């Protein structure tokens, strides 16, 4: 049996890193495609799109919203914004998988070192790393999914936004220098100045709340996954063991872990969505954390922070199942010998933003 030092060295091999990244990216893309219609409806609910607020809050409303989108725009409407999702999710899954794999080797090289704190830390850091590099793509994807036929920000008539048009709109939006000066607010003038000088920062609307949300989400996911597997499937951690976890066992534990993580971090996700579409709903200025939280609370109370959560739960089981199946196929195809516990990076985090 290879030593822990040998396993750690093998993980740092460039070929291993690239193949594991490819496998994670492909699995994440396939899983996201399966749940793309639910993902779009969730964004419309979270961002309080006026055309779909009447459906929010119930399971039946989710399916009625899907039906309305399909009736108006067909299958293309259900997949609106999905091209940006795929452009984002492949590097997101690849970076996340590689980051967790390396962090696992550093923080938990042996079974005895696999503590709950280290599981939480490795998951949180891998999630933060992938978010940092792929967030602009996530923002563009949300903007594309948010646009609807009767949206007030398209007075000239509805058109399905493309990736490039959404990117251009984000780049150009924001308060003009004159408007900022007329507001007599020093902070407004400073905002106008910095975003005029560094337009790339416009692609990071809601980034701080995303980072704050990814810590409990990814951390809780890995914590729950590691704890449940060590409790119910201890044999699956033993290298060379003839007993392996079944797909049903991984599906069940992954679903429970993802559900717990999403419940803990969901309020951050709702606030993030509101801030991401702030350039459309309030193009004259930058929307802040506190203002967004107060608006949600004043409008719907604490329930407003959990709008669309039922759709999130509905996504967990099929996404986990597809991710697992695709990952196993990729693992055999690419000849990756990865311990079963490392699979969770694909199963649990591919469904975020």
């Amino acid at each position: 049996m290879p030593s822990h030092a040998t396993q750690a060295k093998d993980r740092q091999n460039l070929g291993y890193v690239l193949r594991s990244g490819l496998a994670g990216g492909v699995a994440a893309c396939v899983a996201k495609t399966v749940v793309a219609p639910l993902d779009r409806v969730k964004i419309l609910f979270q961002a309080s799109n006026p055309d779909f607020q009447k459906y929010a809050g119930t399971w039946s409303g989710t399916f009625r919203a899907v039906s309305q989108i399909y009736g108006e725009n067909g299958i293309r409407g259900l997949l609106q914004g999905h091209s940006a999702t795929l452009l984002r999710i492949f590097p997101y899954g690849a970076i996340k998988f590689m980051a967790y794999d390396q962090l696992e080797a550093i923080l938990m090289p042996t079974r005895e070192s696999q503590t709950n704190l280290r599981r939480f830390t490795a998951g949180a850091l891998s999630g933060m790393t992938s978010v940092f590099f792929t967030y602009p793509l996530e923002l563009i994807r949300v903007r594309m999914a948010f646009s609807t036929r009767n949206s007030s920000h398209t007075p000239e008539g509805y058109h399905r936004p493309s990736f490039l048009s959404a990117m251009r709109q984000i780049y150009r939006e924001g308060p003009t220098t004159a408007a900022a000066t007329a507001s007599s607010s020093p902070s407004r003038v400073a905002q106008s100045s910095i975003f005029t000088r560094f337009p790339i920062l416009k692609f990071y609307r809601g980034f701080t709340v995303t980072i704050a949300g990814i810590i409990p989400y990814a951390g809780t996911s890995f914590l729950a996954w590691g704890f449940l597997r060590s409790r119910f499937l201890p044999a699956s951690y033993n290298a060379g063991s003839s007993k392996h976890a079944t797909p049903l066992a991984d599906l069940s534990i992954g679903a429970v872990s993802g559900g717990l993580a999403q419940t803990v971090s969901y309020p951050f996700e709702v606030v993030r969505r509101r801030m991401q579409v702030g350039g459309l709903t309030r193009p004259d200025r930058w929307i802040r954390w506190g203002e967004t939280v107060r608006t949600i609370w004043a409008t719907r109370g604490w329930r407003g922070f959990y709008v669309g959560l039922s759709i999130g739960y509905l996504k967990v089981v099929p996404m986990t199942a597809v991710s697992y199946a695709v990952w196993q196929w990729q693992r055999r195809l690419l000849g990756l010998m990865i311990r079963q516990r490392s699979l969770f990076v694909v199963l649990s985090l591919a469904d975020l933003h």
Side-chain angles (χ1 to χ4, degrees):
M1 182 178 69
S3 66
H4 296 299
T6 301
Q7 291 179 357
K9 184 177 180 180
D10 290 341
R11 289 192 182 194
Q12 296 174 355
N13 179 274
L14 178 60
Y16 176 93
V17 170
L18 293 178
R19 284 181 292 146
S20 65
L22 174 63
V26 170
C29 285
V30 174
K32 269 292 190 180
T33 300
V34 171
V35 298
L38 293 175
D39 206 28
R40 189 189 177 203
V41 172
K42 187 178 74 169
I43 291 174
L44 293 171
F45 285 178
Q46 288 176 333
S48 295
N49 187 288
D51 294 340
F52 289 87
Q53 278 304 287
K54 59 181 177 292
Y55 299 130
T58 64
W59 286 88
S60 61
T62 299
F63 295 102
R64 283 187 290 169
V66 170
S67 178
Q68 177 178 325
I69 295 172
Y70 181 79
E72 293 179 350
N73 300 292
I75 191 66
R76 293 182 63 189
L78 294 175
L79 297 178
Q80 184 170 306
H82 190 57
S83 59
T85 297
L86 295 179
L87 288 174
R88 177 191 69 89
I89 204 62
F90 184 89
Y92 177 84
I95 293 171
K96 176 186 58 201
F97 187 92
M98 291 186 291
Y100 180 78
D101 225 16
Q102 299 304 313
L103 288 167
E104 183 186 45
I106 295 171
L107 299 177
M108 298 175 285
T110 66
R111 184 182 179 187
E112 292 71 24
S113 64
Q114 295 167 7
T115 66
N116 289 334
L117 178 60
R118 290 178 179 179
R119 291 178 184 128
F120 185 97
T121 302
L125 289 176
S126 63
M128 292 170 65
T129 302
S130 56
V131 165
F132 176 80
F133 287 104
T134 61
Y135 188 81
L137 296 173
E138 160 69 0
L139 179 61
I140 295 170
R141 191 267 296 204
V142 170
R143 291 298 187 85
M144 292 175 67
F146 181 75
S147 179
T148 58
R149 183 175 299 278
N150 298 318
S151 296
S152 59
H153 58 273
T154 56
E156 70 281 2
Y158 176 74
H159 63 351
R160 184 177 292 105
S162 66
F163 182 87
L164 291 178
S165 66
M167 183 188 300
R168 285 194 296 267
Q169 182 177 18
I170 295 172
Y171 186 85
R172 295 169 180 170
E173 72 188 14
T176 62
T177 303
T181 304
S183 69
S184 69
S185 170
S187 62
R188 188 78 59 82
V189 175
Q191 285 178 8
S192 177
S193 175
I194 192 171
F195 293 124
T196 299
R197 294 176 58 188
F198 305 104
I200 189 65
L201 295 180
K202 298 176 183 179
F203 291 89
Y204 280 85
R205 283 181 180 269
F207 179 71
T208 55
V209 72
T210 301
I211 289 294
I214 199 65
I215 294 174
Y217 181 88
T220 302
S221 295
F222 279 101
L223 172 59
W225 171 264
F227 174 78
L228 292 173
R229 285 183 67 87
S230 64
R231 181 71 178 273
F232 297 106
L233 300 172
S236 65
Y237 283 99
N238 299 329
S241 173
S242 60
K243 181 179 179 181
H244 301 285
T246 64
L248 180 59
D250 282 308
L251 170 64
S252 300
I253 293 177
V256 172
S257 302
L260 290 173
Q262 191 165 50
T263 301
V264 170
S265 63
Y266 199 77
F268 291 96
E269 186 173 351
V270 173
V271 174
R272 172 169 60 101
R273 296 298 190 208
R274 291 290 189 93
M275 295 178 70
Q276 286 176 333
V277 301
L280 298 175
T281 58
R282 294 300 302 269
D284 59 315
R285 61 190 182 84
W286 189 264
I287 306 298
R288 298 182 178 275
W289 265 65
E291 179 185 0
T292 304
V293 171
R294 286 192 298 271
T295 300
I296 295 173
W297 179 267
T299 303
R300 306 194 62 172
W302 67 268
R303 291 182 177 84
F305 294 97
Y306 288 92
V307 172
L309 180 60
S310 59
I311 306 178
Y313 289 145
L314 195 61
K315 289 171 51 182
V316 169
V317 172
M319 174 167 282
T320 304
V322 172
S323 297
Y324 183 84
V326 174
W327 169 253
Q328 287 291 80
W329 174 71
Q330 287 285 295
R331 191 166 76 103
R332 291 191 298 268
L333 181 67
L334 300 176
L336 293 171
M337 300 301 295
I338 302 175
R339 288 181 298 171
Q340 291 292 321
R341 185 166 52 81
S342 296
L343 300 181
F344 181 61
V345 71
V346 177
L347 302 180
S348 66
L349 296 181
D351 63 334
L352 182 57
H353 324 299

